[in-house]
Every structure is written in structure tokens, then in C-alpha cells.
């Protein structure tokens, strides 16, 4: 097997994984909704699940994200999504789901008000002014379909009135928070330890007094991160399934692992 053939087969495996994740979401939508399920609870859970599918599918599609650098920013969002889903479904799901919705609507209202503030002094720039007006009208129309804007409260704090570390602890996801979210937060916020790791390098010149200098590292790509992302997707599917009574007949993460292992074995055998 040539390296080109290997890459083609690997891409086919990834495409199959993406389709499997998307189909798994659709199947849950088709088979879990029944009349006695609380609508708010179900929509928030399905929304969080759908959002993670969106993030995971795009991540898998972009090999340059398969690392703990730039890819870590996406991974952080996925982990936060898992913890939110776990905490909402853990206890009082209807109340917590409603809190999540109300906070999101408040954020949208806040964004609209900030756009209105930007209009001041822009009258002379007619094209940009009109584009902002149109954007504001679209946002207000969309928000009004859910609730009258004047009835929406704006909460600039956490949607749950707790930080994510506490949510992780209360939902049994503390290890996920400590081992991944904390690490990826460093990448997201650009803390010094991350800058030194990814963006700087010690100069070898005594004229520079061996100072740290800017360093543009080549993009790294490790397919093992795809397996991590897929395992996290399965983790969220399991949270949803246990709560809404869905019986899964397959494990996407296990299927991916087996396919990649078989491909590696085939390539190694050919190489010998």
C-alpha cells in the first residue's frame, strides 16, 4: 500500500465517521420525542447535542485542528458543551433548561443594544449605517418570535449562577474539566505557559542574551485527536440516551478505532 492509498482510505474512514455522527443525531431526533416529554428540557438537550455534532464534524473535517494548540480552542467549547448538558440533565432538568434559554435570550438582547449604540455618529456613512439597521431589525424579529424583548432580562453573569468548575463537579465531570478544559483554557486565553510552548523559542545567540524570541511553529496534525473528539461525542450521546430512553445499537468511537487500527496494520504489513 502506498502512502497515497493509505491517505485515501483514511479519508474514507473519516467521511464514514462524520456521516455516522450526523445520522446518530437525526436518529435520536426521529425516535425520542413523545408528547409527555417537557418541550423546554428536550429542545435544550437536543440543541446542545446538535451543537456538539456541529463542532465535532467541522473539527474532524480539518486536519490542521488535530492538535492541542489551535484545535484546543474547539476542544474547550466541546467540553463546556458536555458539562452543560450533563449538569442540566442531572437534576431539575426543566428548570435548568429554562435558565439556559433565558440567559441566551438575554445575551441576544444585549448584543442588539450594543449594535444600537454603534449607530451613534454613523449617519454620514450611509451604507454601513443601513447595514447595521438591517442587522438589528433581523435580530429583533428573530428574538421576538420567542419572547417579547421588553420582558427579557439580561444576566451578564453565568447562565447557571455557578462557574463551570462547580457544574463539572456537580455533574460528575470533574476529571474532564481538570484534565482538558483547564489546559485548553490556557490556549484560548493566551496564558504565558501556552505562549512559551507554541509561540516562542529560546534564542541560541549570545548576542540576544538567549532571550525568548518569536517562533512560528509548523502546524501539527495528529489523528488521535479525532478519536478523542469522537469519544466525547459518544459521551454526550450517552448522557442524552440515558435521560430520554434511547437505545443505541452502535458505538461510533469504537468503530473508528477499529477501522484506523486495521488500516495501520494493513499498511505495516504492506510496508514489510
Amino acid at each position: 500500500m502506498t502512502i497515497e492509498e493509505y491517505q485515501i482510505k483514511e479519508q474514507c474512514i473519516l467521511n464514514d465517521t462524520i456521516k455516522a455522527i450526523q445520522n446518530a443525531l437525526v436518529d435520536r431526533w426521529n425516535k425520542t420525542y413523545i408528547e409527555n416529554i417537557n418541550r423546554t428540557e428536550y429542545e435544550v438537550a437536543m440543541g446542545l447535542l446538535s451543537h456538539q455534532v456541529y463542532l465535532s464534524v467541522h473539527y474532524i473535517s480539518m486536519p490542521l485542528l488535530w492538535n492541542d494548540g489551535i484545535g484546543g480552542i474547539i476542544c474547550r467549547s466541546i467540553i463546556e458543551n458536555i458539562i452543560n448538558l450533563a449538569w442540566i440533565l442531572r437534576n431539575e432538568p426543566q428548570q435548568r433548561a429554562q435558565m439556559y434559554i433565558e440567559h441566551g435570550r438575554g445575551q441576544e438582547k444585549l448584543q442588539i443594544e450594543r449594535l444600537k449604540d454603534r449607530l451613534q455618529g454613523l449617519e454620514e456613512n450611509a451604507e454601513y449605517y443601513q447595514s447595521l439597521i438591517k442587522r438589528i431589525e433581523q435580530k429583533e424579529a428573530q428574538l421576538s418570535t420567542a419572547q417579547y424583548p421588553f420582558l427579557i432580562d439580561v444576566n451578564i453573569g453565568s447562565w447557571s449562577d455557578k462557574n463551570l468548575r462547580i457544574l463539572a463537579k456537580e455533574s460528575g465531570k470533574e476529571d474532564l474539566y481538570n484534565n482538558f478544559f483547564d489546559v485548553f483554557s490556557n490556549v484560548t486565553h493566551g496564558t504565558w505557559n501556552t505562549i512559551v510552548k507554541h509561540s516562542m523559542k529560546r534564542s541560541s545567540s549570545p548576542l540576544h542574551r538567549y532571550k525568548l524570541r518569536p517562533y512560528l511553529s509548523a502546524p501539527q496534525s495528529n489523528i488521535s485527536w479525532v478519536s478523542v473528539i469522537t469519544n466525547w461525542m459518544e459521551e454526550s450521546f450517552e448522557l442524552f440516551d440515558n435521560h430520554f430512553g434511547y437505545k443505541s445499537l452502535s458505538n461510533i468511537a469504537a468503530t473508528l478505532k477499529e477501522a484506523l487500527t486495521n488500516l495501520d496494520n494493513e499498511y505495516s504489513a504492506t510496508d514489510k
Side-chain angles (χ1 to χ4, degrees):
M1 181 190 299
T2 65
I3 187 63
E4 291 78 12
E5 292 171 333
Y6 178 94
Q7 291 172 340
I8 290 173
K9 290 188 176 183
E10 181 183 75
Q11 187 59 54
C12 289
I13 292 172
L14 296 176
N15 291 341
D16 288 343
T17 301
I18 288 173
K19 290 178 183 177
I21 291 173
Q22 293 170 329
N23 290 338
L25 177 68
V26 173
D27 196 56
R28 283 166 173 80
W29 165 254
N30 289 332
K31 295 181 180 178
T32 55
Y33 186 78
I34 54 177
E35 290 302 321
N36 62 349
I37 290 180
N38 178 268
R39 177 173 177 173
T40 300
E41 173 187 337
Y42 184 80
E43 287 181 345
V44 168
M46 183 58 74
L48 286 166
L49 204 61
S50 181
H51 182 58
Q52 188 173 340
V53 168
Y54 169 80
L55 293 174
S56 299
V57 163
H58 280 77
Y59 185 97
I60 295 171
S61 302
M62 302 177 185
L64 289 179
L65 295 179
W66 301 348
N67 53 64
D68 61 351
I70 295 298
I73 299 173
I74 305 298
C75 291
R76 182 182 184 271
S77 296
I78 289 174
I79 293 167
E80 183 172 1
N81 200 80
I82 296 171
I83 293 172
N84 282 334
L85 178 62
W87 192 79
I88 288 171
L89 297 182
R90 184 86 167 192
N91 190 31
E92 299 179 331
Q94 297 178 24
Q95 177 183 345
R96 291 177 174 182
Q98 188 62 40
M99 290 167 59
Y100 191 80
I101 289 175
E102 290 176 358
H103 181 268
R105 289 174 179 168
Q107 292 300 297
E108 186 69 8
K109 181 179 179 179
L110 181 61
Q111 291 175 20
I112 292 171
E113 294 305 314
R114 286 173 174 168
L115 283 175
K116 290 179 179 178
D117 289 341
R118 288 171 59 185
L119 290 173
Q120 298 180 13
L122 291 176
E123 291 83 355
E124 294 182 0
N125 190 341
E127 184 177 352
Y128 184 52
Y129 184 85
Q130 289 302 320
S131 69
L132 278 184
I133 290 289
K134 184 177 181 181
R135 186 177 173 190
I136 290 169
E137 290 175 348
Q138 290 173 340
K139 281 179 166 290
E140 286 183 328
Q142 184 177 17
L143 188 59
S144 297
T145 61
Q147 188 176 355
Y148 290 122
F150 65 86
L151 295 176
I152 297 175
D153 293 327
V154 176
N155 176 8
I156 60 174
S158 166
W159 71 269
S160 63
D161 293 327
K162 300 180 180 181
N163 63 46
L164 197 69
R165 183 187 296 275
I166 294 176
L167 298 193
K169 185 174 182 179
E170 292 182 352
S171 60
K173 300 297 179 183
E174 194 170 14
D175 287 344
L176 185 63
Y177 182 96
N178 291 334
N179 295 329
F180 292 100
F181 184 85
D182 240 4
V183 175
F184 296 142
S185 291
N186 293 332
V187 181
T188 302
H189 299 303
T191 57
W192 181 244
N193 56 324
T194 298
I195 290 174
V196 170
K197 178 180 178 182
H198 295 288
S199 305
M200 302 196 79
K201 190 176 184 179
R202 184 73 61 183
S203 172
S204 59
S205 172
L207 296 176
H208 296 156
R209 297 184 180 181
Y210 307 104
K211 292 185 179 72
L212 290 172
R213 63 176 178 84
Y215 173 67
L216 302 178
S217 59
Q220 301 295 316
S221 182
N222 188 334
I223 198 171
S224 64
W225 280 103
V226 174
S227 295
V228 173
I229 291 293
T230 310
N231 275 308
W232 286 340
M233 192 69 255
E234 283 289 355
E235 189 170 345
S236 286
F237 279 144
E238 184 177 351
L239 286 168
F240 182 91
D241 297 349
N242 290 341
H243 188 79
F244 292 104
Y246 177 87
K247 302 297 183 181
S248 178
L249 300 178
S250 64
N251 187 300
I252 299 170
T255 301
L256 172 64
K257 181 179 179 180
E258 181 181 2
L260 290 176
T261 299
N262 291 340
L263 179 61
D264 285 340
N265 291 338
E266 184 181 353
Y267 181 74
S268 299
T270 305
D271 188 47
K272 294 178 182 179

